[in-house]
Each structure stands twice: as C-alpha cells, then as structure tokens.
Amino acid sequence: MYKIYFFIISLLCLFSCQNDSTSSLLDSKTEDHINSLIDDMTIKEKVGQTCQITLDAILKKDTLGVLLEPHEIDQEKLNIALINYNVGSILNVSNHTFSLEKWQNIIDNVQSTASTTNHKIPIIYGVDAIHGATYIKSSTLFPQEIGLAATWDTSHARIMAEITAYETRASGVPWNFSPVLDLGRNPIWSRFFETLGEDVYLAKTMGKSIIKGYQGSANIDKYHVAACLKHFVGYSVPSSGRDRTPALIPNRSLEELHLPAFKEAIDAGALTVMINSGEVNGIPGHANKYLLTDILKDKWGFSGFTVSDWEDFINLHKMAQTDSTLKDAIATAINSGVDMSMVPNNPEYKSYCKLFIELVNEERISETRLDDAVRRILRVKNHLGLLNQTRIPVSNDYSDFGSEEHKKASYNAASESITLLKNKDLLPLSTENKILLIGPTANSLNCLNGAWTHTWQGVDENYNNDYPTIKDVIKDRFAKVNYFEGSKMIMKDGDEHDILSSDLQDAVKSAQFSDVAIVCLGELPSTERPGDILTLDLPQEQQLIVRELSKTGIPIILVLVEGRPKIIREIEPLSDAILQAYLPGDQGANAIADVLLGNVNPSGKLPYTYPRHNGVIMHYDHKKSELLNANTWKDSYYNPQWDFGFGLSYTTFEYSNMKLNSKSINSDNELLVSVDIRNTGNVIGKEVVQLYIRDHYATISPSLKKLKRYTKIELKPSESRTVNFTISSDDLKFYGIENNWIVEEGKFSVIINSLIQDFNFIK
Ligand code: BGC
C-alpha cells in the first residue's frame, strides 16, 4: 500500500513541487526505511509518535503540584511518557530559560530514555526560538520579526536565522517554532510584533530568507534546525483584535494576502507547519480540511508534518465547540490533516493517546491516515539526522555560541531596523550634549526584547539582565546625563497600567540645565492572550511626559520602543525628532545610541502603515473607494501618521531617470525597469529602493499600489547608482472572479519614490 502512496506522492511532486520543497524528503530509500519502520509499529506506538507533551509534564513537582527549582526531569514521568505512551515529541521550557549545559543534560536524558524504547526512535524537541535562542542563557537575541522586516534587507533575516539555528542546535534542540508568517494587518492584535509587517511581498521575501537560514541546504546539518511556519492560516486578523478569536477572511484575501508567504516558505523547503488556533469563517484552523489537506498537502506538495498549537485538539471541543466530545475533536483534527497534537499537559496526553487508539480501532480514523501522519513525522526526524542514531550525542562543537561575532550580527540588524520618522535638524547629537533622559522604556532590557525572552511573556528581569538598557548606554556615551523615570508601566489585572512617577516635576525643572530631552516611550512586553490590549493609544501618562517637557522649550527626541504603532498624534508636533526602535533585542540600546550620535545613519523603513487615529486602521495597499471623505469631498481618508515604507536618513537621496524598456508587455516577455538614485547629502547612507505597481482598472477593484520589488543600497555622498528591476506578468496577477489567478489587459503604472511611468499589459 505504501509503495502506491509513495508513487502517487512522487508523481504529484513532479508536477507541483519546486526544487527545495519538502519533496526533497522523498527519496525512495528513506521512504522504504520509514515505511518498514511503520510496518513494525503497533497502533499504540504510532499514536504515540503524534503526541507532543510539554517539558512541564515530565518535571519534578512537590505534593501540591508546584515545580521544584532547579527544574529536574522526573525520570519516572519521562519513562511513562516515552516507554508506556511512546510519546514522539516534547516542547518548551517551564517558566524560564536554562543554561546551555542544562539543556544539553535535559536533551541527553530525553534521548537516552527514547533509546530504550522498542524502536529507539528519538524525540523531536521543539522550542520557540523566535528572535534568537530565546530560552538559553547567554544566547544572542535579535530584533523581533517586526524590526527585522524594518531593515528591508533579507540578509539580516537570513543571518538572524542562521545564528538562531546554530545556538538552538547547540542545546540539542533541532526544531524551531518560527517564523511567524501571519501578516501584521491589525496592530491591536497582541502578536503584531511577531510578524514581518503588513505587506505580502515583504513577508514572502523575508520569510524565505529565514527558512534558508534556519534549515541551511536541503540536508539539515548539526548547525541547523527544522523551521515551523506559523500559524496556518489567517490567525493574525481576528475581527475583535483579540488573540485566538474568530476571523472573517474572504477567499480572495486568503489567496492574495495570507497564503502566499506560506506557499513561498513551503517551496523553500520548510519542514513543519503549526496550525492557526483561531477560526476563519467559522471553521477552526484545526478542522479545516480544505486548507490543511487540499491546499497545503495536496496542492502544494508539502510532505513534512503539521503540528497543532497549544491544546488545540482540546479547544475544538472546549472553545470552538465544533465537537461535542474530546474524542470527536481528535477525529476531526486528525482527519482534517493535523499530524501531531501539542496536547501538551499531563494527564491530558494520556487521554489523547487512549482516545486516538479507540478511534483507529473503531475505524473513525483510518490506519492509512495514522500512517500518513507518522510517516510525515518520521521523515522530518530522519531529515534532522535523528533516525539513524539510538542516542544523540550532545556536541561541544558550538564554540561560537553567544560569540562577539553573533552579537555584532544582532547589533547590525538592530541598527538597520531603527527608523527615523521625524528630524527637525536635531539629530545626530554630539557626545558633548547635555542629556535629559526620561521615560518608562529607558531603563528596561525587557522592553528592548519584548515577549519570548527567557520567559514566555518576557517580563521577568531575573532572567534578562545580561545586556545594557538605553539608560546604561546613554550614560556611558554622553558627557552629562540626568535620568528620570517619568512614568512606570505595571501589569495589573492582565492589562498594562501606567503610573506617573514622582520625579516628573524634577525632570521638568532640570530641563533648563539640559540641551535635549530623550524620551523613551512604548509598552510592556506581552504576547498571546495576556497581550490583548484595549486601545492603541499611547497611555496619557506617557504622553504627559512629553507635554510637560515641551512647555520648557527643550528640544525633544522620542524613542519608541514598541512592538506595534501606538497612537502619538497629539505629541508628535511637540517632538523635534522621532525614532522607531521596534523591539530591537539585546543590542538595541547600543544601536539606538549609535543612531542618535550619527555613528549609524538610520536606514530602517516602516514595515506597516503607522495609523494617526485609533479608529482608522488602513493599509498602504488600500483602494480608491476607501479615500473619499464625504464631509470634505476630498480624498483625505488615507492620512496615516506615516506611510508604509517611510523612513528618513541623515542624508538625502534623489531619484531620477526612471526607464521602462517597453511601453507594453505580454505573458512571454518581461518589463525591465531602471532608475538612478543619488546621495545628495553629506554622509554615506543606505536607501531602500521600493517598486510598486498600480493596476488602473480590473474586474476586481484594484489597490492603488502594491509592493513588487525592493532592494537596499549604500551610497557615498554624491555617488549615484542605477538600480534595475524585472517585472513579469505574474506580478500583475490577481485572484479573479472565477477564483483563479489572472492578469487582465490594460493600463498599469510603475511607481518608484515619486516617479511614475505607465505601461500596458497586452495578451
Ligand atoms: C503559541 C505558538 C507557540 C506554542 C508553543 C502557543 O501558545 O501560539 O506560537 O509556538 O505556544 O510554545
């Protein structure tokens, strides 16, 4: 039977898979080996392979169920999970980060125990190393994805992923639950900072580089990890803005916005996919057979495995209420195409295994489907080099872990992400300037890193104190610095509460002794449900710091340390310069100081449209019909604080001489676009050249423009460069009325900076 299956999959892949895709997992010798292993396994052993438990489930606890510190594996619990229940995967940390050595001991213990099981199949261990090896002490932490996207340079994405893979693998963990490829279209959503921004092309290109960095070449060596694409699909646009709540997504938006970054990553060879915890159009992600099986596996030829998100089999029953029992929910999820269940707790995993076995015996889940899920899991294990070893040696061969070179890479990404949003001839500063430093993010490494930093929510300073805060670096770099807190952010009843500090008035008094105020604002780290917020407005307490200081006439620089755009409409005019730092990671403070001092010329560009008002969340790729303000009868509704792709520099660039090689193209030829860019200022600088296409008329109302290409270049003063781009008919396609990708004849424009030229598409 499996031979026929293999033949069909190979045939499908011949037609649908590209070079790097997971079809490369399908060589016949490996498949034969895996299939004979599956033939030898009992139903119970196979079900166990699909079960993923959390580390917490096998740690020692006291009689009240409280974890003992330091965390230690409870060997009896581990034996029960691996030997009695044949569990195939473990994830996560419990509560906090571990040292590298501790990790190595844990993995060694886990794999030693796995080697005593009947088939000696190693465990595939997974963690959320989403901006560096987040749960290993002294690892290298990078900007969160939103900042990475702001570099508009895929090499930073690739290097971040390579280093993260290396440092994660050093701990013995071969599987990373990253990248998030959900689009950041709704800044109120708590995981906006985990996205690559609002644009599909930017997310596609950065995402692909991350996959290459995590996985390396087709064969994953000991310095790389399996990537896990999250969260398939539509998780980021819940109607209420709250995490894990329902989304309504028209099929066209799914095809044009939400699926492409996943498809690109699958084509690049991504080995695993995690499923959306929410629901789309009433269908829970874990029950969506169309998306999981028909699209992902059958149409795209994905032959790796899908894993549920946290407790999501249980949630089909408890939260979505699409299944009246847990047993029904397991049948639904597995039959829809989920291959592994992050159950993940004890004793729930035992019920999962028991009920799954019953479902197979009752033929509600076919053994063929179970075998398919196990085959996919074993393929990935094999690809990670796990299958041929009974015990995984934990190597000491990772001398670059946390090295200066890795830190430099993180610093480079952070400094290229920082986006200068305003500069009234104030920046760069001189080290001689007398600084008034103030604000709730000025003295917090947690705020620079965001959530998923040594702890889940990233708020425990005890585990995150190895690197300097903005205050530490500013005090170091400038001759005279007066620091004030201004206001504090605390978590109360699950929400951020801001409180004015008693030193605000002292700060105002001291303004007369300072040349400039650096005001560091932003938000507390948080993610998932704990990160749900009530408003995008920057808290009044933080705004008050700016209002009070502005009365003194001191020039004000805002430094925004935030994972999403908080509304600053009223304090923007009171500020002379504004830096968006995003969540820049461990090296963030150094990068911010270097931008302030002009040691780094800022080159980040917004990866999202920065809203001006809380109630108007529009994107740069809006349509003409969204513009008309019926009160003024002017096209004034698109009036964001700053546009997508915006960012200033300490130099200026002039665009000229845009040329198209033809006034028309068809499906067989390409449009060659060239444009000259000149550095017209006095300092060396980097510029992101962005090419947008406008489709003037289409049967599905078109966007006013869509990003199709970009590149980042560096120019010395007076230097100019010609940048070339190639556009094909594929770049003009949209998802048409007949529900397929089409291109229609007619007029298009190429838009680069303020240059526009028209061309026609002719069939
Ligand atoms: C999150 C995932 C994460 C998983 C494992 C879930 O709650 O939604 O993104 O990978 O936990 O930590």
Side-chain angles (χ1 to χ4, degrees):
M1 171 64 198
Y2 63 76
K3 291 234 160 82
I4 299 173
Y5 171 86
F6 175 60
F7 178 71
I8 296 170
I9 288 284
S10 309
L11 216 63
L12 272 175
C13 282
L14 260 182
F15 293 108
S16 64
C17 305
Q18 300 186 6
N19 276 353
D20 283 342
S21 85
T22 47
S23 61
S24 61
L25 303 185
L26 298 173
D27 75 86
S28 59
K29 215 169 127 227
T30 312
E31 289 291 303
D32 284 349
H33 171 59
I34 288 172
N35 286 321
S36 58
L37 194 52
I38 293 175
D39 278 351
D40 279 348
M41 291 166 80
T42 62
I43 290 174
K44 179 170 163 281
E45 285 168 338
K46 290 190 279 197
V47 163
Q49 280 300 313
T50 73
C51 179
Q52 185 183 58
I53 59 172
T54 185
L55 181 63
D56 192 82
I58 50 164
L59 290 180
K60 286 185 184 160
K61 293 184 180 159
D62 67 14
T63 43
L64 298 172
V66 177
L67 268 178
L68 298 180
E69 285 280 359
H71 296 175
E72 294 292 342
I73 287 190
D74 183 325
Q75 192 60 42
E76 198 190 334
K77 289 182 188 164
L78 181 63
N79 288 346
I80 293 173
L82 271 52
I83 300 169
N84 298 8
Y85 284 86
N86 314 97
V87 161
S89 179
I90 303 180
L91 85 148
N92 224 347
V93 286
S94 193
N95 299 352
H96 60 76
T97 201
F98 292 137
S99 69
L100 193 56
E101 295 69 38
K102 176 89 178 179
W103 266 116
Q104 291 172 341
N105 288 339
I106 288 175
I107 300 297
D108 197 30
N109 189 352
V110 162
Q111 301 300 24
S112 309
T113 307
S115 74
T116 65
T117 61
N118 193 11
H119 297 286
K120 304 182 176 17
I121 302 173
I123 291 294
I124 179 169
Y125 204 114
V127 291
D128 296 273
I130 72 160
H131 67 122
T134 43
Y135 290 139
I136 311 177
K137 277 187 196 153
S138 310
S139 64
T140 309
L141 295 187
F142 285 79
Q144 296 275 359
E145 269 189 41
I146 197 71
L148 212 54
T151 65
W152 290 63
D153 182 343
T154 54
S155 69
H156 289 302
R158 184 166 185 145
I159 292 168
M160 176 289 290
E162 268 165 8
I163 291 174
T164 301
Y166 179 102
E167 297 197 354
T168 303
R169 202 72 200 244
S171 70
V173 171
W175 185 22
N176 187 4
F177 304 139
S178 175
V180 167
L181 295 179
D182 307 303
L183 280 198
R185 306 284 287 187
N186 185 354
I188 203 120
W189 181 53
S190 63
R191 307 186 71 173
F192 186 85
F193 70 96
E194 296 180 48
T195 75
L196 292 162
E198 77 183 37
D199 179 66
V200 61
Y201 183 73
L202 189 58
K204 249 167 75 166
T205 44
M206 297 297 276
K208 180 175 174 179
S209 295
I210 295 177
I211 302 305
K212 295 282 177 194
Y214 283 153
Q215 297 195 170
S217 57
N219 287 317
I220 296 193
D221 63 18
K222 64 181 179 185
Y223 300 120
H224 292 87
V225 293
C228 184
L229 314 182
K230 300 196 305 194
H231 305 78
F232 194 73
V233 59
Y235 178 42
S236 60
V237 286
S239 310
S240 70
R242 281 182 289 115
D243 190 48
R244 289 170 156 84
T245 58
L248 293 173
I249 310 180
N251 201 25
R252 180 158 297 103
S253 307
L254 206 58
E255 291 283 343
E256 291 188 351
L257 291 176
H258 300 285
L259 287 172
F262 286 94
K263 170 73 165 67
E264 188 86 1
I266 296 292
D267 287 347
L271 290 169
T272 72
V273 174
M274 193 183 291
I275 311 306
N276 169 12
S277 272
E279 61 177 66
V280 174
N281 306 334
I283 308 173
H286 292 74
N288 201 323
K289 186 163 190 287
Y290 167 73
L291 287 171
L292 302 184
T293 300
D294 301 355
I295 299 290
L296 177 66
K297 293 181 175 175
D298 294 348
K299 188 168 168 201
W300 295 357
F302 172 66
S303 60
F305 72 86
T306 59
V307 58
S308 85
D309 203 341
W310 191 268
E311 287 189 338
D312 276 330
F313 281 43
I314 298 170
N315 286 337
L316 282 182
H317 164 55
K318 282 201 173 157
M319 304 296 287
Q321 301 192 311
T322 47
D323 290 283
S324 56
T325 65
L326 175 60
K327 188 166 169 180
D328 290 345
I330 296 170
T332 300
I334 297 287
N335 286 329
S336 298
V338 191
D339 301 309
M340 181 182 278
S341 171
M342 191 187 289
V343 183
N345 290 307
N346 183 16
E348 287 82 350
Y349 82 85
K350 294 173 182 158
S351 317
Y352 165 80
C353 291
K354 182 176 147 287
L355 293 171
F356 195 155
I357 295 167
E358 281 175 23
L359 285 161
V360 178
N361 289 334
E362 290 159 14
E363 296 182 9
R364 289 179 61 197
I365 296 175
S366 69
E367 199 163 347
T368 314
R369 171 67 194 104
L370 171 61
D371 287 358
D372 171 50
V374 176
R375 189 177 296 110
R376 288 167 178 278
I377 292 164
L378 294 184
R379 270 185 201 135
V380 174
K381 287 192 174 181
N382 178 68
H383 211 59
L384 289 167
L386 291 173
L387 271 201
N388 294 327
Q389 289 161 293
T390 47
R391 182 162 170 196
I392 308 302
V394 174
S395 163
N396 287 325
D397 190 17
Y398 294 90
S399 54
D400 277 339
F401 180 91
S403 66
E404 287 307 314
E405 197 193 324
H406 288 190
K407 285 178 199 155
K408 180 86 178 99
S410 158
Y411 167 84
N412 289 343
S415 55
E416 286 216 19
S417 70
I418 291 170
T419 307
L420 180 62
L421 296 172
K422 181 173 182 180
N423 189 13
K424 274 179 31 195
D425 289 332
L426 180 61
L427 294 175
L429 301 175
S430 134
T431 50
E432 297 308 309
N433 285 135
K434 288 186 236 121
I435 305 292
L436 189 169
L437 177 68
I438 188 165
T441 58
N443 194 24
S444 165
L445 182 59
N446 285 343
C447 288
L448 291 171
N449 270 309
W452 304 104
T453 301
H454 299 301
T455 60
W456 176 39
Q457 294 295 316
V459 283
D460 192 337
E461 278 171 10
N462 294 324
Y463 298 103
N464 187 27
N465 48 25
D466 285 344
Y467 292 92
T469 64
I470 298 175
K471 176 187 157 201
D472 297 332
V473 178
I474 296 289
K475 282 206 148 187
D476 203 41
R477 302 287 188 91
F478 288 87
K480 189 163 183 313
V481 178
N482 276 324
Y483 165 71
F484 302 91
E485 198 175 51
S487 75
K488 270 197 255 310
M489 303 179 292
I490 55 160
M491 258 314 170
K492 199 173 143 208
D493 303 330
D495 286 313
E496 179 189 310
H497 281 255
D498 288 60
I499 304 165
L500 282 176
S501 303
S502 52
D503 64 3
L504 179 56
Q505 283 322 311
D506 295 340
V508 170
K509 280 185 210 139
S510 88
Q512 57 182 310
F513 307 112
S514 305
D515 299 325
V516 60
I518 301 176
V519 186
C520 302
L521 306 178
E523 56 182 348
L524 272 183
S526 62
T527 186
E528 299 191 50
R529 285 202 172 107
D532 286 339
I533 56 170
L534 303 170
T535 174
L536 262 190
D537 286 329
L538 190 75
Q540 282 307 325
E541 292 75 9
Q542 296 195 39
Q543 300 201 36
L544 195 70
I545 300 174
V546 179
R547 289 184 213 281
E548 290 296 301
L549 285 174
S550 75
K551 291 180 195 158
T552 69
I554 189 171
I556 292 175
I557 302 166
L558 293 192
V559 175
L560 304 173
V561 183
E562 57 184 16
R564 60 181 131 221
K566 287 281 188 107
I567 305 295
I568 53 168
R569 180 184 67 254
E570 290 176 5
I571 55 169
E572 180 272 323
L574 309 180
S575 314
D576 300 270
I578 303 179
L579 285 188
Q580 174 57 280
Y582 312 96
L583 303 174
D586 277 340
Q587 300 299 324
N590 281 310
I592 290 167
D594 280 332
V595 169
L596 290 171
L597 282 165
N599 302 330
V600 168
N601 187 353
S603 63
K605 305 279 174 187
L606 285 176
Y608 51 72
T609 308
Y610 202 119
R612 186 179 291 275
H613 295 272
N614 217 335
V616 186
I617 304 300
M618 282 177 77
H619 303 109
Y620 86 92
D621 51 356
H622 54 269
K623 300 180 175 187
K624 187 163 190 325
S625 54
E626 292 177 74
L627 295 181
L628 189 66
N629 179 340
N631 295 318
T632 60
W633 296 107
K634 286 188 184 140
D635 281 354
S636 60
Y637 267 142
Y638 186 62
N639 182 23
Q641 195 75 51
W642 292 285
D643 210 347
F644 170 80
F646 176 78
L648 301 167
S649 164
Y650 294 151
T651 188
T652 44
F653 298 98
E654 185 184 85
Y655 285 71
S656 65
N657 208 18
M658 181 158 95
K659 288 188 198 141
L660 311 188
N661 71 327
S662 168
K663 279 279 150 206
S664 65
I665 62 165
N666 57 36
S667 302
D668 300 325
N669 57 25
E670 291 176 328
L671 185 72
L672 307 181
V673 182
S674 67
V675 65
D676 294 346
I677 297 103
R678 202 169 103 85
N679 181 342
T680 48
N682 299 322
V683 286
I684 188 168
K686 291 191 175 178
E687 170 69 336
V688 179
V689 186
Q690 305 167 32
L691 182 152
Y692 297 85
I693 295 278
R694 174 173 183 183
D695 182 352
H696 286 256
Y697 296 94
T699 45
I700 300 294
S701 62
S703 293
L704 284 175
K705 61 176 191 176
K706 284 185 179 167
L707 181 72
K708 294 294 170 183
R709 297 285 182 275
Y710 64 90
T711 185
K712 195 167 196 176
I713 57 168
E714 185 172 56
L715 295 174
K716 297 192 189 81
S718 303
E719 188 184 351
S720 64
R721 175 133 2 124
T722 303
V723 169
N724 299 302
F725 296 109
T726 306
I727 295 293
S728 78
S729 58
D730 280 349
D731 297 304
L732 312 180
K733 284 185 175 161
F734 62 94
Y735 202 69
I737 278 176
E738 309 275 330
N739 291 332
N740 53 3
W741 284 90
I742 55 166
V743 49
E744 289 177 345
E745 287 197 329
K747 181 175 159 188
F748 292 82
S749 299
V750 177
I751 306 165
I752 299 180
N753 201 268
S754 56
L755 305 175
I756 303 180
Q757 283 208 29
D758 299 339
F759 67 98
N760 286 303
F761 178 79
I762 302 166
K763 280 203 169 149

